[in-house]
Every structure is written in C-alpha cells, then in structure tokens.
C-alpha cells in the first residue's frame, strides 16, 4: 500500500551561531508493526532571517549641550533563538556596540531597547547649534542586521556669570582694580575667552588660560588693571564707571556681568 507523511517543524535559529546560513540533514524513518524499517536523509539549508526595525525615535529631537539624548526602538526577528547587539553612532562616525541584554530585551520574536548619551558640546565649534546624524543598528548573532537613521539637534548654551566682585568700589588714580567672578556653562567641552570693560566702553581681552579656569562646567576668573586717570570726565573730583566682565564660549554664546566702581581723583598737593 501507499501512505503520505506530512510533518512540519519550525527552525527558531540557524545553528551554529555566526553564519548567514547552515546546512543540516533531516532523517525520516518509517517503521511498521512487523519490525520493517526504512529511512531516508534529506539535505536542508536553514538561512538566517535578519532583524527588522519596526519603530525608532528620539525621546527629544532637540536638546541643549549638557543634556542627554535618548534613542528608543523596537524590532522583530524570526530567529527566536538569536541573541543581539545594538550599535549606535551618535553622529561622530563611530559605532558603539552594546549587548541587547544591557539595554533592552527580546522574547517571542520581538525586541525593544533604550540607549542614552550625554552631549557635552555642540560640535563643531563656532556655531550656535549643530545637527547629529544618529545611526542605529540591530545586529543578530548570525550576521543579520538592520539600520535606522535619526537627526538630532544640539543647541549651544551660553555661559552664565553667577558672581562678579570688585576688589574695591573706591579706587584712586594710580591704584589697581581687581575683578573676579564665577560662571557656569553646561558645555563641559567648551573653551572660553575673557574680556573686561574697565569703564570706557571697550572690552579688553585677557588670556583665559592665565586668568581663568573651568572644571566640569563651573568656571572662575580673576584679573586686575592699573587705573591711571578718571577720564573722560576731567575736572571732576571723581567719576563713576560700570566695570563689565564678559565670558564667551567657542560656540558664539556669551555671558556679561557688571559692577559699578568709583574712581576717585586726588586733589593736587
């Protein structure tokens, strides 16, 4: 007599790991109730199925320097037995790989992940804002991958002068006036310049490396200047001047603070 056999099996993975496909053999054995046995072996190629990104987004498409960008994504993969890594290029051209187990999960063919990164500056320098092309890859353990692209805007944050002090609010001609202060800037990778207007409306530059410092977004500065005359108001016993300090970052941001100082002219002897 004749008989037909129809059996199915789902291959959850193409073992061994690390190959785009694998060769296996299926052996079919038929045995009757009188000890008769017949077998046949069939070759089978099991090909890896690449993951498919089903959703990819930024928690915020626009952030400020010093803030954290977060990528949220989900994907599917027919290989239920696969393991995965997530690679992200945050806009600098370098992919950083992280095991999915550290940033997400995968079960029954569906996975999800969340990754974050602090942006300490809006590179490149010299611009008030910059854009980062963020690339995200989902890679399975059998050379399959999927990629999605996102665009992130990073805005510069100007420094904020939090305190400014004069060594004295009453200075005679020929004496030295000191100006010191502190400031904050969340762009911890920024570089800075320092300028002081000693009351004549013109900002004088100072070398920040010599007269200032910044660590972790918190900076300070201290400069001094010889006060030679109380011009332009000659003929007066004293003049009031607004002393201004200005701190600029390398991305067009600036902070300005002022403190009024009085220059006193000594009468002739």
């Amino acid at each position: 007599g004749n008989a037909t056999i129809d059996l199915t099996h789902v291959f959850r993975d193409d073992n061994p790991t690390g190959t785009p496909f694998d060769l296996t053999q299926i052996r079919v054995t038929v045995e009757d109730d009188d000890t008769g046995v017949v077998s046949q072996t069939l070759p089978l190629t099991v090909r890896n199925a690449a993951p498919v990104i089903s959703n990819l987004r930024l928690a915020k498409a626009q952030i400020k320097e010093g803030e954290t960008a977060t990528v949220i994504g989900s994907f599917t993969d027919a290989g239920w037995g696969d393991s995965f890594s997530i690679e992200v290029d945050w806009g600098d051209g370098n992919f950083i790989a992280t095991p999915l187990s550290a940033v997400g999960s995968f079960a029954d063919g569906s996975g999800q992940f969340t990754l974050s990164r602090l942006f300490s500056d809006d590179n490149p320098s010299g611009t008030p804002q910059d854009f980062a092309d963020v690339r995200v890859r989902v890679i399975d353990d059998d050379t399959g991958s999927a990629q999605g692209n996102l665009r992130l805007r990073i805005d510069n944050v100007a420094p904020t002068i939090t305190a400014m002090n004069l060594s004295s609010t009453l200075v005679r001609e020929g004496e030295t006036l000191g100006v010191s202060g502190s400031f904050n800037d969340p762009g911890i990778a920024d570089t800075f310049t320092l300028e002081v207007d000693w009351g004549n409306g013109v900002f004088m530059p100072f070398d920040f490396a010599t007269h200032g410092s910044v660590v972790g977004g918190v900076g300070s500065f201290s400069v001094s200047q010889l006060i030679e005359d109380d011009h332009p108001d000659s003929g007066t016993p004293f003049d009031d001047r607004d002393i201004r300090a200005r701190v600029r970052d390398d991305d067009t941001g600036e902070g300005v603070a002022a403190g009024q100082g009085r220059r006193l002219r000594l009468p002739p002897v």
Side-chain angles (χ1 to χ4, degrees), residues 7-27:
L7 299 172
T8 59
H9 175 76
V10 177
F11 283 82
R12 298 300 187 188
D13 198 7
D14 61 321
N15 284 316
T17 296
T19 56
F21 65 88
D22 294 293
L23 302 177
T24 188
Q25 291 184 331
I26 298 176
R27 184 178 181 183

Side-chain angles (χ1 to χ4, degrees), residues 205-222:
F206 288 85
D207 180 25
F208 185 82
T210 302
H211 298 280
S213 65
V214 59
V215 178
V218 178
S220 62
F221 58 88
S222 179

Side-chain angles (χ1 to χ4, degrees), residues 2-257:
N2 297 320
T4 300
I5 300 174
D6 187 1
L7 299 172
T8 59
H9 175 76
V10 177
F11 283 82
R12 298 300 187 188
D13 198 7
D14 61 321
N15 284 316
T17 296
T19 56
F21 65 88
D22 294 293
L23 302 177
T24 188
Q25 291 184 331
I26 298 176
R27 184 178 181 183
V28 179
T29 300
V30 178
E31 181 177 353
D32 65 20
D33 58 355
D34 294 311
T35 71
V37 178
V38 63
S39 296
Q40 184 173 353
T41 300
L42 302 172
L44 177 66
T45 299
V46 182
R47 297 188 180 276
N48 178 58
V52 176
I53 296 177
S54 53
N55 183 52
L56 187 65
R57 64 184 178 89
L58 290 164
K60 293 172 60 179
Q62 179 177 347
I63 63 171
K64 299 176 181 178
E65 63 177 8
E67 293 183 340
T68 297
T70 299
V71 169
I72 302 169
S74 57
F75 67 96
T76 59
D77 194 305
W80 288 20
D82 282 351
S83 59
F84 301 88
S85 63
I86 310 299
E87 294 186 347
V88 181
D89 166 18
W90 292 100
D92 58 5
N94 298 313
F95 280 97
I96 301 174
T98 305
L100 177 65
S101 59
V103 293
S105 62
F106 179 78
D108 300 333
S110 298
Q112 57 81 32
F113 56 87
T114 302
L115 295 97
S116 299
R117 179 192 172 181
L118 173 68
F119 277 79
S120 58
D121 194 10
D122 61 319
N123 283 316
S125 298
T127 56
Q129 72 274 325
D130 294 291
F131 293 90
D133 292 319
V134 180
R135 297 181 293 169
V136 181
R137 291 176 181 166
V138 179
I139 301 176
D140 67 22
D141 59 354
D142 292 306
T143 73
S145 66
Q147 179 174 311
N149 301 320
L150 300 166
R151 193 156 175 84
L152 174 67
R153 172 174 165 169
I154 308 102
D155 292 331
N156 179 59
V157 178
T160 300
I161 296 179
T162 54
M164 176 180 162
N165 301 296
L166 302 179
S167 59
S168 175
T169 58
L170 184 63
V171 180
R172 293 176 172 84
E173 293 176 342
E175 293 183 341
T176 298
L177 176 63
V179 175
S180 62
S182 57
F183 67 94
N184 294 331
D185 194 310
I188 60 176
D190 281 349
T191 58
F192 301 92
T193 59
L194 172 64
E195 299 170 314
V196 176
D197 168 15
W198 295 100
N200 59 0
V202 178
F203 278 98
M204 176 185 296
F206 288 85
D207 180 25
F208 185 82
T210 302
H211 298 280
S213 65
V214 59
V215 178
V218 178
S220 62
F221 58 88
S222 179
V223 296
S224 60
Q225 176 72 8
L226 178 66
I227 305 302
E228 296 180 345
D229 195 4
D230 66 333
H231 286 302
D233 298 320
S234 296
T236 58
F238 62 84
D239 296 302
D240 289 325
R241 291 289 182 266
D242 288 325
I243 312 299
R244 296 182 296 165
R246 180 164 65 190
V247 176
R248 286 177 166 172
D249 65 22
D250 58 354
D251 293 306
T252 74
E254 68 176 47
V256 180

